[in-house]
Amino acid sequence: IFFPSGSLTKPIREVQQAAERISLLNFEKKCEVHSQDEIGKLAASINDMSDKLQESISSLMDSNELLRDDLIRQEQSEQMRRRFIANVSHDFKTPLTLIVSYAEALRDTGELDEETRQEYMNIIIEEGNKLSLLVKSLLELSRLESGTVELERSVFSISEMLKDTIHKHKILLEKNQICVHTQLDDRLIVFADYEKIERVASNLFENAVKYCGDQGTICVSAQQEGEQCVVRVFNSGSHIAQEDLENIFVSFYRGDKARARDGVQSYGIGLAIVKAIMDMHGQHYGVQNVEQGVEFWFDLALVDLDSDLEEDLEE
Protein backbone atom coordinates (compact mmCIF):
# COMPACT_ATOMS: atom_id res chain seq x y z
CA ILE A 1 0.00 0.00 0.00
CA PHE A 2 2.87 2.39 0.90
CA PHE A 3 4.65 2.27 -2.47
CA PRO A 4 1.55 2.62 -4.66
CA SER A 5 0.30 5.51 -2.49
CA GLY A 6 3.72 7.21 -2.78
CA SER A 7 3.59 7.06 -6.56
CA LEU A 8 0.14 8.67 -6.41
CA THR A 9 1.00 11.42 -3.92
CA LYS A 10 4.40 12.41 -5.42
CA PRO A 11 2.89 14.25 -8.44
CA ILE A 12 0.46 15.99 -6.07
CA ARG A 13 3.37 17.11 -3.86
CA GLU A 14 5.22 18.32 -6.95
CA VAL A 15 2.19 20.40 -7.99
CA GLN A 16 1.89 21.77 -4.45
CA GLN A 17 5.58 22.78 -4.34
CA ALA A 18 5.31 24.46 -7.75
CA ALA A 19 2.29 26.43 -6.55
CA GLU A 20 4.22 27.51 -3.44
CA ARG A 21 7.15 28.68 -5.57
CA ILE A 22 4.79 30.71 -7.77
CA SER A 23 3.25 32.32 -4.64
CA LEU A 24 6.80 33.50 -3.78
CA LEU A 25 7.26 34.87 -7.36
CA ASN A 26 9.83 32.20 -8.13
CA PHE A 27 9.27 31.16 -11.74
CA GLU A 28 12.59 29.47 -12.45
CA LYS A 29 11.70 25.83 -11.70
CA LYS A 30 8.76 24.24 -13.49
CA CYS A 31 6.42 21.53 -12.28
CA GLU A 32 8.00 18.23 -13.41
CA VAL A 33 4.84 16.17 -13.92
CA HIS A 34 4.33 14.82 -17.43
CA SER A 35 1.56 12.24 -17.01
CA GLN A 36 -1.50 12.31 -19.20
CA ASP A 37 -4.04 12.15 -16.38
CA GLU A 38 -5.79 14.98 -14.57
CA ILE A 39 -2.75 15.71 -12.36
CA GLY A 40 -0.52 15.99 -15.44
CA LYS A 41 -2.97 18.40 -17.04
CA LEU A 42 -3.05 20.41 -13.77
CA ALA A 43 0.77 20.55 -13.76
CA ALA A 44 0.79 21.78 -17.39
CA SER A 45 -1.76 24.46 -16.49
CA ILE A 46 0.38 25.58 -13.53
CA ASN A 47 3.47 25.80 -15.77
CA ASP A 48 1.51 27.82 -18.33
CA MET A 49 0.20 30.12 -15.56
CA SER A 50 3.78 30.53 -14.29
CA ASP A 51 5.01 31.62 -17.73
CA LYS A 52 2.18 34.09 -18.20
CA LEU A 53 2.62 35.51 -14.69
CA GLN A 54 6.33 35.97 -15.34
CA GLU A 55 5.63 37.77 -18.63
CA SER A 56 3.02 40.00 -16.97
CA ILE A 57 5.30 40.89 -14.06
CA SER A 58 8.22 41.62 -16.44
CA SER A 59 5.95 43.83 -18.55
CA LEU A 60 4.73 45.58 -15.41
CA MET A 61 8.29 46.17 -14.25
CA ASP A 62 9.21 47.63 -17.66
CA SER A 63 6.17 49.90 -17.51
CA ASN A 64 7.12 51.02 -14.02
CA GLU A 65 10.64 51.79 -15.23
CA LEU A 66 9.27 53.87 -18.11
CA LEU A 67 6.92 55.67 -15.74
CA ARG A 68 9.79 56.41 -13.38
CA ASP A 69 11.85 57.82 -16.25
CA ASP A 70 8.89 59.93 -17.39
CA LEU A 71 8.46 61.31 -13.88
CA ILE A 72 12.16 62.16 -13.69
CA ARG A 73 12.02 63.92 -17.08
CA GLN A 74 8.87 65.76 -16.03
CA GLU A 75 10.56 66.95 -12.84
CA GLN A 76 13.63 68.04 -14.80
CA SER A 77 11.40 69.90 -17.28
CA GLU A 78 9.60 71.61 -14.43
CA GLN A 79 12.89 72.68 -12.88
CA MET A 80 14.06 74.01 -16.24
CA ARG A 81 10.77 75.88 -16.67
CA ARG A 82 11.09 77.52 -13.25
CA ARG A 83 14.73 78.41 -13.93
CA PHE A 84 13.79 79.75 -17.37
CA ILE A 85 11.09 82.02 -15.91
CA ALA A 86 13.44 83.24 -13.20
CA ASN A 87 16.17 84.05 -15.74
CA VAL A 88 13.76 85.77 -18.13
CA SER A 89 12.37 87.86 -15.28
CA HIS A 90 15.87 88.86 -14.22
CA ASP A 91 16.94 89.78 -17.75
CA PHE A 92 13.84 91.89 -18.26
CA LYS A 93 14.10 93.56 -14.86
CA THR A 94 17.53 95.18 -15.28
CA PRO A 95 16.90 97.04 -18.58
CA LEU A 96 13.40 98.07 -17.47
CA THR A 97 14.75 99.44 -14.18
CA LEU A 98 17.37 101.52 -16.03
CA ILE A 99 14.83 102.79 -18.57
CA VAL A 100 12.37 103.86 -15.85
CA SER A 101 15.11 105.40 -13.69
CA TYR A 102 16.62 107.56 -16.44
CA ALA A 103 13.19 108.49 -17.83
CA GLU A 104 12.14 109.70 -14.36
CA ALA A 105 15.41 111.65 -14.07
CA LEU A 106 14.67 113.39 -17.37
CA ARG A 107 11.16 114.18 -16.22
CA ASP A 108 11.90 115.34 -12.68
CA THR A 109 15.23 117.14 -13.17
CA GLY A 110 14.59 120.44 -14.85
CA GLU A 111 18.13 121.83 -15.03
CA LEU A 112 20.05 119.16 -16.92
CA ASP A 113 22.67 120.28 -19.41
CA GLU A 114 22.37 119.06 -22.98
CA GLU A 115 25.27 116.62 -22.67
CA THR A 116 23.68 114.91 -19.65
CA ARG A 117 20.29 114.76 -21.37
CA GLN A 118 21.86 113.10 -24.40
CA GLU A 119 23.65 110.61 -22.15
CA TYR A 120 20.40 109.69 -20.37
CA MET A 121 18.52 109.31 -23.66
CA ASN A 122 21.29 107.16 -25.16
CA ILE A 123 21.13 104.85 -22.15
CA ILE A 124 17.34 104.56 -22.51
CA ILE A 125 17.67 103.77 -26.24
CA GLU A 126 20.45 101.22 -25.61
CA GLU A 127 18.48 99.38 -22.91
CA GLY A 128 15.36 99.50 -25.08
CA ASN A 129 17.29 97.87 -27.92
CA LYS A 130 18.46 95.14 -25.53
CA LEU A 131 14.86 94.42 -24.57
CA SER A 132 13.79 94.40 -28.21
CA LEU A 133 16.56 91.92 -29.09
CA LEU A 134 15.64 89.70 -26.15
CA VAL A 135 11.95 89.64 -27.07
CA LYS A 136 12.77 88.93 -30.73
CA SER A 137 15.04 86.03 -29.78
CA LEU A 138 12.44 84.61 -27.39
CA LEU A 139 9.74 84.74 -30.06
CA GLU A 140 12.04 83.03 -32.57
CA LEU A 141 12.93 80.29 -30.11
CA SER A 142 9.28 79.81 -29.18
CA ARG A 143 8.27 79.42 -32.84
CA LEU A 144 11.05 76.92 -33.52
CA GLU A 145 10.24 74.79 -30.46
CA SER A 146 6.47 74.91 -31.03
CA GLY A 147 6.68 72.64 -34.06
CA THR A 148 4.64 75.02 -36.20
CA VAL A 149 7.61 76.15 -38.33
CA GLU A 150 8.20 74.12 -41.47
CA LEU A 151 11.58 73.64 -43.11
CA GLU A 152 12.05 75.01 -46.62
CA ARG A 153 14.85 72.75 -47.80
CA SER A 154 16.94 73.57 -50.84
CA VAL A 155 20.30 72.65 -52.35
CA PHE A 156 23.14 75.12 -51.72
CA SER A 157 26.88 75.44 -51.20
CA ILE A 158 27.68 75.38 -47.49
CA SER A 159 31.12 76.93 -48.11
CA GLU A 160 29.64 79.95 -49.89
CA MET A 161 27.18 80.46 -47.04
CA LEU A 162 29.98 80.31 -44.44
CA LYS A 163 32.10 82.78 -46.42
CA ASP A 164 29.14 85.16 -46.55
CA THR A 165 28.61 84.79 -42.78
CA ILE A 166 32.25 85.66 -42.08
CA HIS A 167 32.11 88.64 -44.45
CA LYS A 168 29.05 90.07 -42.66
CA HIS A 169 31.05 90.19 -39.40
CA LYS A 170 34.07 91.86 -41.02
CA ILE A 171 33.72 95.14 -39.09
CA LEU A 172 33.38 93.34 -35.74
CA LEU A 173 36.43 91.20 -36.52
CA GLU A 174 38.54 94.22 -37.43
CA LYS A 175 37.39 96.10 -34.34
CA ASN A 176 38.49 93.30 -32.02
CA GLN A 177 41.57 92.39 -34.10
CA ILE A 178 40.41 88.79 -34.48
CA CYS A 179 42.14 86.58 -37.05
CA VAL A 180 39.94 84.14 -39.01
CA HIS A 181 41.22 81.02 -40.76
CA THR A 182 39.06 78.90 -43.06
CA GLN A 183 39.23 75.36 -44.40
CA LEU A 184 36.28 75.16 -46.75
CA ASP A 185 35.68 72.56 -49.44
CA ASP A 186 33.84 74.38 -52.22
CA ARG A 187 32.58 71.09 -53.64
CA LEU A 188 30.30 70.42 -50.66
CA ILE A 189 26.60 70.80 -51.53
CA VAL A 190 24.01 70.26 -48.79
CA PHE A 191 20.25 69.84 -48.65
CA ALA A 192 18.76 71.95 -45.85
CA ASP A 193 16.82 75.11 -44.99
CA TYR A 194 19.23 77.87 -46.13
CA GLU A 195 17.83 80.63 -43.93
CA LYS A 196 17.84 78.54 -40.76
CA ILE A 197 21.28 77.02 -41.32
CA GLU A 198 22.57 80.52 -41.96
CA ARG A 199 21.13 81.43 -38.55
CA VAL A 200 22.97 78.48 -37.00
CA ALA A 201 26.27 79.50 -38.61
CA SER A 202 25.80 83.14 -37.60
CA ASN A 203 24.98 82.25 -33.98
CA LEU A 204 28.00 79.96 -33.66
CA PHE A 205 30.29 82.54 -35.29
CA GLU A 206 29.04 85.34 -33.05
CA ASN A 207 29.51 83.06 -30.06
CA ALA A 208 33.10 82.45 -31.18
CA VAL A 209 33.72 86.20 -31.47
CA LYS A 210 32.19 86.74 -28.05
CA TYR A 211 34.44 84.27 -26.23
CA CYS A 212 37.51 84.57 -28.44
CA GLY A 213 38.72 87.77 -26.86
CA ASP A 214 40.63 90.59 -28.54
CA GLN A 215 43.43 89.51 -30.89
CA GLY A 216 42.16 85.93 -30.74
CA THR A 217 41.77 83.32 -33.46
CA ILE A 218 38.71 81.74 -35.08
CA CYS A 219 38.86 78.76 -37.42
CA VAL A 220 35.88 77.80 -39.61
CA SER A 221 35.95 74.54 -41.55
CA ALA A 222 33.57 72.49 -43.67
CA GLN A 223 34.73 69.00 -44.61
CA GLN A 224 33.15 65.77 -45.82
CA GLU A 225 33.07 62.92 -43.31
CA GLY A 226 31.41 59.85 -44.74
CA GLU A 227 28.11 60.90 -46.28
CA GLN A 228 27.85 64.00 -44.09
CA CYS A 229 29.22 67.52 -44.23
CA VAL A 230 30.66 68.57 -40.85
CA VAL A 231 30.99 72.28 -40.08
CA ARG A 232 33.34 73.24 -37.23
CA VAL A 233 33.76 76.66 -35.60
CA PHE A 234 36.81 76.95 -33.33
CA ASN A 235 37.68 79.90 -31.12
CA SER A 236 40.80 80.36 -29.06
CA GLY A 237 40.31 81.03 -25.38
CA SER A 238 39.67 79.29 -22.09
CA HIS A 239 37.95 75.90 -21.93
CA ILE A 240 34.34 75.36 -20.87
CA ALA A 241 33.79 73.55 -17.57
CA GLN A 242 32.54 69.97 -17.94
CA GLU A 243 29.25 70.68 -16.12
CA ASP A 244 28.66 73.63 -18.47
CA LEU A 245 29.27 71.53 -21.60
CA GLU A 246 26.24 69.39 -20.74
CA ASN A 247 23.91 72.41 -20.51
CA ILE A 248 25.43 74.84 -22.99
CA PHE A 249 22.53 74.49 -25.46
CA VAL A 250 19.84 75.07 -22.79
CA SER A 251 17.89 78.35 -22.97
CA PHE A 252 19.27 81.11 -20.73
CA TYR A 253 22.07 78.87 -19.49
CA ARG A 254 25.24 80.76 -18.64
CA GLY A 255 28.44 79.09 -17.63
CA ASP A 256 31.59 80.82 -16.53
CA LYS A 257 30.93 84.52 -17.11
CA ALA A 258 34.67 85.18 -16.95
CA ARG A 259 35.04 83.54 -20.38
CA ALA A 260 33.18 86.32 -22.18
CA ARG A 261 34.76 89.56 -23.22
CA ASP A 262 33.95 92.50 -20.97
CA GLY A 263 30.77 94.31 -21.87
CA VAL A 264 29.37 91.55 -24.09
CA GLN A 265 25.64 91.05 -23.53
CA SER A 266 24.53 87.40 -23.55
CA TYR A 267 21.10 85.92 -22.87
CA GLY A 268 22.01 82.30 -23.58
CA ILE A 269 19.35 82.02 -26.32
CA GLY A 270 21.60 81.84 -29.39
CA LEU A 271 22.78 78.30 -28.74
CA ALA A 272 19.25 77.22 -27.79
CA ILE A 273 18.15 78.41 -31.25
CA VAL A 274 20.99 76.35 -32.77
CA LYS A 275 19.70 73.30 -30.92
CA ALA A 276 16.10 73.85 -32.05
CA ILE A 277 17.07 74.28 -35.72
CA MET A 278 19.38 71.25 -35.81
CA ASP A 279 16.74 69.12 -34.06
CA MET A 280 14.27 70.15 -36.77
CA HIS A 281 16.74 68.96 -39.41
CA GLY A 282 17.35 65.72 -37.50
CA GLN A 283 21.10 66.34 -37.60
CA HIS A 284 23.82 66.14 -34.96
CA TYR A 285 25.61 69.04 -33.24
CA GLY A 286 27.81 69.55 -30.22
CA VAL A 287 30.70 71.29 -28.48
CA GLN A 288 34.03 70.10 -27.15
CA ASN A 289 37.15 71.49 -25.54
CA VAL A 290 40.16 71.19 -27.81
CA GLU A 291 43.76 72.30 -27.59
CA GLN A 292 43.95 76.08 -26.99
CA GLY A 293 40.21 76.66 -27.26
CA VAL A 294 36.67 75.46 -27.83
CA GLU A 295 35.07 73.92 -30.93
CA PHE A 296 31.37 73.88 -31.86
CA TRP A 297 30.21 71.64 -34.71
CA PHE A 298 27.16 70.46 -36.63
CA ASP A 299 26.57 68.19 -39.60
CA LEU A 300 24.30 68.26 -42.64
CA ALA A 301 23.24 65.81 -45.32
CA LEU A 302 25.34 65.99 -48.49
CA VAL A 303 23.92 66.01 -52.00
CA ASP A 304 25.72 64.34 -54.92
CA LEU A 305 24.81 66.59 -57.84
CA ASP A 306 26.69 64.43 -60.37
CA SER A 307 24.76 61.33 -59.33
CA ASP A 308 21.42 63.17 -59.36
CA LEU A 309 22.20 64.61 -62.81
CA GLU A 310 22.97 61.14 -64.19
CA GLU A 311 19.68 59.79 -62.82
CA ASP A 312 17.76 62.66 -64.45
CA LEU A 313 19.45 62.00 -67.80
CA GLU A 314 18.65 58.29 -67.59
CA GLU A 315 14.99 59.08 -66.92
Side-chain angles (χ1 to χ4, degrees), residues 7 30 34 42 46 75 84 142 171 178 183 187 190 207 225 292 307:
S7 63
K30 302 299 181 183
H34 305 291
L42 176 61
I46 288 179
E75 178 62 25
F84 180 83
S142 177
I171 295 178
I178 295 175
Q183 294 180 339
R187 297 169 298 175
V190 298
N207 185 79
E225 295 185 12
Q292 298 182 346
S307 175

Side-chain angles (χ1 to χ4, degrees), residues 52-106:
K52 291 182 178 178
L53 278 174
Q54 187 174 10
E55 291 177 2
S56 299
I57 291 175
S58 297
S59 178
L60 183 60
M61 291 177 65
D62 292 340
S63 299
N64 286 339
E65 186 69 20
L66 291 174
L67 179 60
R68 187 182 67 84
D69 293 340
D70 288 341
L71 290 174
I72 292 175
R73 284 194 294 268
Q74 184 177 357
E75 178 62 25
Q76 291 174 343
S77 298
E78 182 64 20
Q79 291 177 359
M80 290 177 59
R81 185 188 66 83
R82 289 195 295 265
R83 186 166 59 247
F84 180 83
I85 293 174
N87 289 332
V88 170
S89 301
H90 176 269
D91 285 320
F92 269 96
K93 180 180 178 181
T94 303
L96 284 173
T97 300
L98 289 173
I99 290 173
V100 172
S101 299
Y102 281 99
E104 289 177 345
L106 285 173

Side-chain angles (χ1 to χ4, degrees), residues 160-225:
E160 290 300 322
M161 191 207 70
L162 292 172
K163 291 176 184 178
D164 186 53
T165 299
I166 296 171
H167 181 72
K168 289 178 181 178
H169 294 83
K170 182 178 180 181
I171 295 178
L172 188 61
L173 295 171
E174 292 176 350
K175 177 183 177 181
N176 297 295
Q177 299 180 332
I178 295 175
C179 181
V180 178
H181 300 286
T182 59
Q183 294 180 339
L184 304 175
D185 188 343
D186 294 333
R187 297 169 298 175
L188 297 180
I189 305 298
V190 298
F191 183 60
D193 188 311
Y194 184 92
E195 181 180 346
K196 291 179 176 58
I197 296 302
E198 185 181 37
R199 184 78 161 111
V200 168
S202 180
N203 282 6
L204 292 182
F205 193 81
E206 290 173 4
N207 185 79
V209 172
K210 185 186 305 177
Y211 292 102
C212 178
D214 295 340
Q215 300 181 345
T217 301
I218 295 176
C219 297
V220 180
S221 67
Q223 303 294 329
Q224 180 175 353
E225 295 185 12

Side-chain angles (χ1 to χ4, degrees), residues 71 134 159 189 263 269:
L71 290 174
L134 177 57
S159 297
I189 305 298
I269 303 178

